[in-house]
Amino acid sequence: MDDFIAARSQMAMSLGFHIIFSCIGMIMPFLMAYAHWKYLRTGNEIYKGLTKAWSKGVAILFATGAVSGTMLSFELGLLWPKFMEHAGPIFGMPFSLEGTAFFIEAIALGFFLYGWDRFNKWFHWFCGVLVGMSGLASGILVVAANAWMNSPRGFDYIDGQYFNIDPIAAMLNEAWFPQAFHMIIAAFCATGFTVAGIHAYLITKNKNTAFHTTAFRIAVGFALVGAFAAPLSGDIAARSVTKRQPIKLAAMEAHFETEKGASFIIGGIPDVDSQTVKYGIKVPKLLSFLAKGDFNAEIKGLNHFPKDVWPPVVITHFAFQIMIFFGILMVLIGILYLYAYFFRPNWLYKNWLLKIFALASPFGYIALEAGWTVTEVGRQPWIIYGIMRTVDAVTPMPGIQYSFYFFSAIFLTLSVILIFLIWRQIKMVPRLYDPTDPLFNQKKS
């Protein structure tokens, strides 16, 4: 493995893990705060127990996300020094603000965890809300930095030098809102389905059913909002890509020839050599409509651009199709649940419906990982789109493959520890906080 591939692999692996830790840690506080609000309104002890159970998970994920995020910040400097040398002064502001949001999140989480029966009950609840809001702000600010890499703004680039730097314009670049909005919606969808699926599985095992049923219903609400909003946010993001990065759109669809009334390809295997897509299903004119709102609009193909700036077409296309496939599955599951809720209430207690949600637990994060693959791989060969190539930004330091192996071991270890801790919480905490379980009354006495 050469150093360039090792550096890219290390960043891909680190981002792939961190995005899961950070998104769950970013959205779980809102589920926690909602359960807490329900407890304050109803006095139902199950909601209190659920709030405490989820708060422990939030604490574990916050610590894990902090570690993985810190590692990523070091990797940017160590693996891509040329990139940070030029880009740091331009897009440093969102990273600085993200650090502030991180500190607020840490303080608010500490207040929430240790504030039971010590603070005013509504101030205590607000601390939980603040954990979610500051975590969400952190995610948006980090996405703003990534969006700048896709849509560099806020400077003049003359003869290889950067002048007239405007950090506000850089942060609020054209890609910022579409990417951030789509990311937030995807995080709500993925986390909602994961949490709902775990609790659905435990309901089928007849373990603390009152507790897990309450948790399942809250999580499903968040999951469905995310699932039904994802097509809207995805449409906004796709139209933005069409305008800013038409070559990425062409790679997403493996669209080789410029044409009007371009077809949308479902599935298929791109053959770059013959510039065809085998076994794909073409929906006439749909790509033109989705991209530009006009069935006869012209869509630029890959052949419109020099081959040396083509993204990896096969990876980008497959990732895009995977994202769409699992996104559609979650929408269909959401429709099924709403149909059951309004027209077949007895279905809500059927094991087959719960097993569908249990099976769908990873769907959101598969789609999320695929979407980020589209964003990052589809930008190649650029690290700063249209300005700096990724190969020119990599460190000249040799032996990067050993760093890749070392960091991979760290992330795998973190994942194993995280799964162990979360699973232990899932098994033990409900018994401590579910008033329908005998252990709850033993603990109180």
Side-chain angles (χ1 to χ4, degrees), residues 12-66:
M13 178 269 303
S14 301
L15 283 167
F17 278 99
H18 179 67
I19 196 172
I20 297 175
F21 302 151
S22 60
C23 284
I24 298 177
M26 187 168 64
I27 304 304
M28 276 301 299
F30 289 104
L31 277 75
M32 174 189 78
Y34 179 80
H36 192 191
W37 176 77
K38 291 287 288 184
Y39 166 66
L40 294 177
R41 291 292 302 272
T42 66
N44 188 329
E45 289 288 335
I46 289 182
Y47 287 117
K48 181 179 181 180
L50 184 55
T51 303
K52 289 190 173 184
W54 278 345
S55 69
K56 293 179 184 294
V58 169
I60 293 169
L61 288 157
F62 175 81
T64 311

Side-chain angles (χ1 to χ4, degrees), residues 71 76 129 148 162 221 266 286 292 311 323 327 377 383 398-399 427:
M71 291 168 66
L76 281 172
V129 175
W148 179 84
Y162 300 81
I266 300 173
L286 184 59
K292 296 187 176 182
M323 180 184 68
V377 176
I383 192 168
K427 290 174 64 177

